[in-house]
């Protein structure tokens, strides 16, 4: 009986120590949090600037391609009912984000990104064919190099497209490259040469052992998009490396000294 109590006590201490030693990174989702409330728009230059000023570890943004092959920063695949990939960039010249900014090109967004202060969490959106996805990856690498941002300390890649992740893995060794689609276990993702996962909260809630499985392969583990206090605590305790959130101030408060800077 005493031995069982002692072992339980040792296990409890070990759990607390493991919990305290693990630093968790915060990624502000789509540039900033509660953008509309704050008077910005998600994926705007202003939203990235605010993430930089607040020194969140990461700031996420989404990249699409127009029919005349301009890379633009936007979340949805369409703007005012027009599909981005079937329209030229000029077709969006009058479009304004909710904070009055025009649709940022990747080049304009990276000009702000150069100012530093946050890791650029670069989401390459899945396209309708491999040719466009490959082109997007190649142009993205070119743009990052042109802005002095082609550096694994300054940028990580995420995508729902396995083709995009596999191309990044082949062309950008040393960069964190996270697969977003929760259709594969971490072991299966690793077997495809992809070194990270960024799964929805529900995936880790259902399969908490995936975090250990990923870490055994030295993969990075990111979870999206966690805004609820209890869910934030749960994910931090499970040992994720990064929490993507619309509520980075709340995550900062909950993590305290466990926040990875
Ligand atoms: Mg995204």
């Amino acid at each position: 009986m005493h031995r069982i109590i002692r072992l339980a006590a040792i296990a409890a201490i070990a759990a607390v120590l493991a919990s305290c030693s693990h630093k968790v990174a915060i990624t502000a989702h789509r540039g900033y949090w509660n953008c509309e409330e704050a008077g910005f728009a998600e994926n705007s230059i202003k939203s990235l600037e605010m993430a930089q000023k607040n020194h969140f570890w990461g700031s996420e943004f989404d990249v699409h391609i127009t029919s005349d092959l301009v890379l633009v920063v936007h979340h949805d695949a369409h703007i005012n009912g027009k599909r981005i990939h079937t329209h030229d960039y000029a077709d969006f010249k009058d479009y304004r984000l909710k904070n009055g900014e025009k649709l940022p090109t990747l080049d304009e967004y990276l000009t702000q990104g150069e100012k530093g202060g946050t890791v650029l969490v670069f989401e390459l959106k899945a396209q309708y064919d491999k040719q466009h996805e490959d082109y997007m990856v190649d142009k993205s690498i070119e743009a990052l190099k042109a802005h002095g941002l082609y550096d694994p300390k300054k940028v990580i890649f995420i995508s729902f497209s396995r083709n995009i992740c596999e191309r990044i893995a082949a062309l950008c060794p040393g960069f964190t490259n996270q697969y977003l689609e929760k259709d594969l276990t971490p072991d299966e993702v690793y077997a495809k040469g992809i070194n990270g996962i960024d799964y929805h909260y529900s995936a880790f809630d259902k399969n908490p052992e995936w975090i250990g499985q990923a870490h055994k392969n030295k993969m990075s583990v990111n979870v999206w998009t966690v805004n609820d206090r209890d869910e934030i605590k749960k994910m931090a305790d499970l040992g994720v490396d990064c929490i993507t959130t619309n509520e980075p101030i709340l995550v900062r408060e909950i993590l305290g000294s466990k926040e990875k800077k």
Side-chain angles (χ1 to χ4, degrees), residues 108-157:
E108 289 161 350
Y109 200 85
L110 294 182
T111 298
Q112 178 65 35
E114 281 179 34
K115 294 176 183 167
T118 191
V119 170
L120 299 175
V121 180
F122 194 133
E123 180 176 355
L124 285 142
K125 288 290 188 179
Q127 297 299 309
Y128 295 85
D129 58 57
K130 183 178 182 302
Q131 196 189 353
H132 279 84
E133 289 191 341
D134 290 353
Y135 182 85
M136 274 177 78
V137 170
D138 298 353
K139 292 305 276 187
S140 296
I141 293 169
E142 216 175 87
L144 287 168
K145 285 180 177 170
H147 287 271
L149 291 166
Y150 189 70
D151 178 339
K153 292 191 186 74
K154 295 179 179 172
V155 174
I156 73 169
F157 297 102

Side-chain angles (χ1 to χ4, degrees), residues 2 38 97 152-153 186 203:
H2 287 301
L97 306 181
K153 292 191 186 74

Side-chain angles (χ1 to χ4, degrees), residues 32-41 46-47 50 98-99:
Y32 191 57
W33 67 99
N34 289 337
C35 303
E36 266 84 58
E37 225 172 87
F40 311 137
K46 183 71 180 172
S47 69
M50 291 309 291
K98 284 178 180 160
N99 63 332

